[in-house]
Amino acid sequence: MPDTMVAEKPVLRDGVATYDAIVIGAGISGMFMLYRLRELGMTARVFEMGTDVGGTWYWNRYPGARFDSESWTYGYSFSKELMQEWDWKEHFSPQPDTLEYLNYVADKFDLRRDMQFNSTVNAAHWDDEAGTWTVTLASGQQAKSRFLMTAVGILSAHTLPSIPGRDSFKGPAYHPARWPKQKVDFTGKRVGIIGTGATAIQAIPEIAKECAQLTVFQRRPNWAAPLHNAKISKEEMEQIKARYDEIYAYCASTPMWFIHQPDPRKTLEVPQAEREAFWEKLYAEPGFGIWLGNFRDIGTNEEAANALSEFIAKKIRQRVKDPKVAEKLIPKDHPFASRRVPLESGYFEAYNRDNVTLVDTLKDEPIECITPNGVKTTKQEYEFDILIYATGFDGVTGAFDRIDIRGKNGLRLKDAWAESPRTYLGMLAEDFPNMLMVLGPHTARGNIPQAIEHSVQFQTGILRFMQEHNYTRVETRPELVDEWTRTVIEAGEKLLSSKVDSWQTGVNRNVEGRQVRRVLGYNGNGVQFRKKTDEVAKGGYKEFAFR
Ligand code: NA7
């Protein structure tokens, strides 16, 4: 067994702390990765930009932030004890409860002792001769390791809008992913919010309740459906706990690892009245059923998707009193479910309030600039006390791009992936030895914590295999990277979502070089993905090259 894989304390080499593994990020991924690395007897250091654990749930503290996936499918499943100890309070957990849960996990497994906070990783460079990664923090501190684990999240690189004068606003301006820890008081305030994605759709109804006036600047509307959240009673939680094995096994048997299974029927084969009744039922149910439990072809057949879109549009028209506002809120450029569907709690009703105004910046009033007082459109200047840029993220690859990651021969990851990521199973990137990516591009996602657990299990399986065989280096095989990249691209081709601009297709007009669609995830069936990774593991990881 190589010495670096049994040490209990970091070794000092040339005055630099050297670990078996360095993990970037202390969110759901980094926390579980650390737990597993310890099980393998490896020394590890987690570097985290924030001041504590939680990742997405640490940063996104904006009003209304919560899961729109069922809480009881979204926790860790690696510890039965933890599952039995933790009581979810709501079916769709609000951010403060989720952060409390992650703190509970960190305390229970004493994770913080191997974590360093306030530590932004600026660079990670591979030394091919030494077989080590050197990580440099923003502070200049360096550390070395044999393995580099990226646990950087798929929606962590937030982006501000590229609008002239953006920084000139004299009041407080917030991005929801950098929301302050102390409560923002909206009482009596005039608030402007730019963006109408999943984040804004959660935040708008909450802010509207508190502020004097809320003006929403919408570029393109998004489809959304009701969340139908509810509290979980003690008895209900006991029943959930008794069924955890069944719940998680069921999730693993669905294409996206959620509790929702697509209906095997094709939309247009079902008589219209029956179809509408089915949609009524899904619309009235909690969670992603309307998206993931719908007819199996809504994501691939345009006619089917249009029929469903018409049904949802009817709902919006019923819920929004002013027909002109309702029409503005109905997307016309993409069908329902072709972008990630936000689930909402009173979003459409918020526009029935006297203190909420919708500004259509695409057709009616393009934004010209941000001014010291607010937002200036082609028609008028709006004055605000608080401005919110709910303008999203540079999805999936954005967090990688922000770190100067260099592999063999000084190759920059950002350059290597300029056109398309190149990975095997999304776990390892070509030419980046010993860099294991939790939720890297081209991997299966769906239910994020379940995808994380699967990814970490697979990767720590590789590490265990290496320990058993005295290997110190793992790499991809180029021909299999070609094959996997083709598989991923082909799996996305038939999807309507591939034809629509969104963070999922890698488009973000606020980021240079992000105007062209790319395939960023494996959009095939998650069950097949599990089968594939299980086969690779059982077959002795022959698809990877070891030394
Ligand atoms: P999204 O879903 O990417 O939404 C960002 C929103 O911001 C979207 O409505 C954009 O309009 C809008 N936007 C972005 N830049 C601008 C500029 N420059 N001017 C006007 N409007 C702009 O991000 P979210 O944070 O809401 O959600 C991200 C994910 O988090 C979500 O999918 C869930 O998985 C959780 P556009 O549509 O581009 O016209």
Side-chain angles (χ1 to χ4, degrees), residues 89-376:
K89 297 195 199 91
E90 297 183 36
H91 282 277
F92 301 91
S93 178
Q95 177 273 336
D97 290 4
T98 305
L99 189 58
E100 195 185 320
Y101 167 72
L102 293 169
N103 275 279
Y104 181 83
V105 176
D107 291 341
K108 180 175 171 67
F109 300 107
D110 190 18
L111 297 177
R112 288 190 189 81
R113 110 178 109 87
D114 291 318
M115 292 178 166
Q116 185 178 316
F117 299 104
N118 283 314
S119 298
T120 302
V121 173
N122 272 1
H125 293 178
W126 170 252
D127 179 337
D128 208 48
E129 215 166 287
T132 52
W133 284 95
T134 301
V135 163
T136 308
L137 306 185
S139 63
Q141 181 192 336
Q142 289 197 317
K144 286 179 190 283
S145 62
R146 186 170 298 285
F147 296 97
L148 179 69
M149 276 58 191
T150 66
V152 292
I154 57 168
L155 290 164
S156 53
H158 70 290
T159 50
L160 293 166
S162 49
I163 301 175
R166 187 190 67 206
D167 301 324
S168 67
F169 182 64
K170 61 177 194 277
Y174 306 111
H175 189 289
R178 286 295 177 277
W179 202 261
K181 285 184 183 162
Q182 65 282 11
K183 185 179 157 31
V184 175
D185 186 5
F186 291 107
T187 320
K189 299 282 186 338
R190 298 160 304 169
V191 183
I193 181 164
I194 298 178
T196 50
T199 298
I201 284 173
Q202 288 188 329
I204 285 166
E206 295 306 315
I207 298 170
K209 281 183 216 160
E210 235 187 85
C211 70
Q213 175 64 40
L214 177 65
T215 307
V216 180
F217 295 91
Q218 169 187 269
R219 192 163 61 183
R220 283 184 304 160
N222 270 296
W223 294 103
L227 177 67
H228 297 302
N229 182 34
K231 296 251 190 276
I232 301 180
S233 69
K234 219 174 160 10
E235 298 73 49
E236 217 177 344
M237 195 62 227
E238 288 313 312
Q239 285 162 11
I240 290 169
K241 283 181 182 175
R243 288 181 48 232
Y244 263 138
D245 285 350
E246 186 194 323
I247 291 168
Y248 276 73
Y250 184 77
C251 288
S253 76
T254 71
M256 302 277 279
W257 304 336
F258 285 102
I259 200 76
H260 307 282
Q261 185 79 264
D263 187 288
R265 294 171 293 173
K266 284 189 176 173
T267 312
L268 302 173
E269 285 169 8
V270 179
Q272 190 170 351
E274 200 182 320
R275 209 195 291 163
E276 297 259 333
F278 179 58
W279 286 339
E280 285 290 353
K281 177 179 153 297
L282 292 178
Y283 198 80
E285 282 174 0
F288 281 135
I290 190 78
W291 176 21
L292 306 174
N294 216 308
F295 299 118
R296 70 178 156 103
D297 60 347
I298 58 144
T300 49
N301 178 332
E302 209 164 332
E303 225 184 309
N306 287 342
L308 174 59
S309 303
E310 202 33 60
F311 172 84
I312 306 284
K314 199 169 67 190
K315 291 289 178 195
I316 298 173
R317 289 186 188 109
Q318 284 165 1
R319 291 173 60 186
V320 178
K321 284 192 193 136
D322 181 336
K324 282 200 198 114
V325 176
E327 281 322 301
K328 285 183 191 172
L329 290 165
I330 296 172
K332 309 287 189 313
D333 63 342
H334 67 282
F336 185 84
S338 61
R339 292 173 113 191
R340 198 276 200 189
V341 180
L343 297 184
E344 43 81 29
S345 306
Y347 174 65
F348 293 107
E349 286 75 13
Y351 294 97
N352 296 335
R353 299 176 66 104
D354 293 337
N355 68 336
V356 177
T357 309
L358 179 66
V359 177
D360 180 337
T361 70
L362 206 56
K363 294 199 200 89
D364 300 345
E365 294 184 48
I367 296 177
E368 278 186 347
C369 60
I370 307 290
T371 68
N373 296 321
V375 175
K376 190 168 177 300

Side-chain angles (χ1 to χ4, degrees), residues 431-451:
D431 289 327
F432 292 80
N434 287 5
M435 184 177 91
L436 299 158
M437 304 179 291
V438 188
L439 289 194
H442 288 185
T443 202
R445 290 199 300 261
N447 181 320
I448 297 288
Q450 296 203 14

